[in-house]
């Protein structure tokens, strides 16, 4: 059962204030990820304090990097069920977990950060991994 | 066990994705919830059997790369069967003695 929306709202805002576009329906996901071009980070947000509490600050840090994805979108696991299920269809080779992050380039997943790669790690360490992927896959000369 | 405690009152491993190796043929990969008198409670758990076609190391490597295939929502591994618990990201094959 989804958490109280009022409880979740600050967790959404923590991501959308970074410029991430929130996708709450399957149609919105299809519009964003279908025929996707360029680089895009999909941030699967989560209530879980074990990991999401570090994932969101890591995203904040990573998006200050000089090289970032052209687009950042977010869906919220356990909240926007339809949107999350549809988003996961776009990276079906990867088992679902949340929070997690998928970096796409021209519709292909080029880097994936699973929940287990977030758990117990500092935001700085997670951000460093992310920015390495940004440098590799989001620059102009990829 | 060392580690950052995210939930006061819980084990340091609470919420972490771990590999639970047993004295038998089974290895479990899942999210550590707690340990009590009945054993170690794991959530969203994948299970590897040494008798399966895929090697244990490969199974764990795939779980690390592509995520844990949660075949079971909740598994309790009896405490007397647990040989080693390791965070998935830190897992390495045990050194043979």
């Amino acid at each position: 059962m989804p958490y109280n929306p009022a409880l979740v709202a600050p967790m959404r805002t923590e991501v959308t204030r970074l410029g991430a576009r929130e996708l709450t329906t399957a149609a919105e996901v299809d519009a964003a990820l279908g025929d996707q071009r360029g680089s895009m980070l999909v941030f699967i947000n989560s209530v879980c304090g074990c990991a999401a509490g570090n994932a969101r600050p890591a995203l904040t840090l990573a998006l200050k990097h000089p090289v970032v994805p052209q687009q950042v979108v977010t869906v919220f696991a356990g909240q926007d069920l339809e949107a999350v299920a549809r988003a996961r269809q776009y990276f079906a080779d990867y088992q679902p977990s949340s929070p997690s992050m998928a970096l796409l380039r021209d519709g292909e997943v080029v880097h994936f950060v699973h929940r287990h790669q977030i758990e117990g790690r500092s935001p700085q360490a997670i951000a460093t991994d992310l920015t390495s992927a940004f440098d590799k896959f989001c620059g102009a000369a990829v | 066990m060392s580690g950052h405690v995210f939930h006061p009152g819980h084990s340091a491993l609470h919420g972490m994705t771990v590999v639970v190796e047993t004295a038998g043929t089974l290895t479990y990969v899942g999210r550590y919830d707690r340990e009590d008198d009945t054993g170690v409670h794991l959530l969203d758990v994948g299970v590897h059997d040494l008798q399966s076609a895929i090697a244990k190391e490969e199974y764990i490597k795939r779980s690390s790369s592509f995520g844990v295939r949660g075949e079971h929502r909740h598994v309790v591994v009896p405490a007397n069967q647990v040989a080693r618990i390791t965070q998935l990201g830190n897992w390495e094959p045990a050194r043979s003695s």
Side-chain angles (χ1 to χ4, degrees):
Chain A
M1 174 182 291
Y3 285 83
N4 183 328
L7 174 75
V8 172
M11 302 172 190
R12 294 184 186 274
T13 304
E14 191 175 348
V15 176
T16 55
R17 74 179 180 188
L18 304 172
R21 185 157 49 97
E22 192 164 47
L23 311 174
T24 59
T25 67
E28 288 178 355
V29 170
D30 285 339
L33 274 68
D35 196 29
Q36 186 265 327
R37 291 286 178 263
S39 56
M40 173 186 280
L41 183 72
V42 183
F43 182 84
I44 299 184
N45 206 347
S46 168
V47 167
C48 174
C50 305
N54 285 348
R56 288 187 294 267
L59 181 66
T60 302
L61 290 172
L63 291 180
K64 292 176 180 171
H65 191 63
V67 179
V68 295
Q70 290 167 305
Q71 297 183 72
V72 181
V73 298
T74 181
V75 292
F76 208 120
Q79 299 296 306
D80 303 322
L81 306 182
E82 176 192 275
V84 172
R86 182 59 59 91
R88 284 174 171 156
Q89 291 178 4
Y90 285 89
F91 22 91
D93 288 344
Y94 298 84
Q95 298 294 327
S97 67
S98 60
S100 58
M101 299 174 237
L103 182 62
L104 284 75
R105 176 105 196 171
D106 295 334
E108 298 290 325
V109 177
V110 291
H111 185 75
F112 201 96
V113 181
H114 298 278
R115 176 197 163 98
H116 71 261
Q117 293 164 323
I118 296 170
E119 297 162 346
R121 301 183 69 212
S122 70
Q124 290 78 9
I126 302 162
T128 297
D129 286 354
L130 268 177
T131 55
S132 295
F134 293 170
D135 285 337
K136 186 173 181 181
F137 298 111
C138 300
V142 174
Chain B
M1 295 175 188
S2 63
H4 183 74
V5 179
F6 297 90
H7 298 270
H10 284 286
S11 160
L13 287 176
H14 175 78
M16 302 285 186
T17 304
V18 297
V19 179
V20 178
E21 297 168 270
T22 71
T25 62
L26 301 181
T27 295
Y28 303 88
V29 184
R31 211 164 64 252
Y32 185 104
D33 185 51
R34 67 189 189 278
E35 183 169 2
D36 61 20
D37 291 344
T38 63
V40 174
H41 293 249
L42 299 174
L43 303 176
D44 301 325
V45 188
V47 185
H48 176 266
D49 191 323
L50 282 179
Q51 297 174 341
S52 68
I54 183 172
K56 174 175 142 182
E57 288 77 7
E58 179 63 19
Y59 178 83
I60 295 171
K61 186 178 172 185
R62 283 192 63 81
S63 297
S64 185
S65 298
F66 293 98
V68 179
R69 184 174 179 178
E71 303 162 84
H72 306 280
R73 175 71 186 117
H74 181 200
V75 167
V76 183
V77 185
N80 63 5
Q81 285 291 306
V82 175
R84 186 168 71 138
I85 303 177
T86 315
Q87 266 189 263
L88 176 58
N90 298 333
W91 184 87
E92 291 181 356
R95 292 176 187 168
S96 52
S97 55

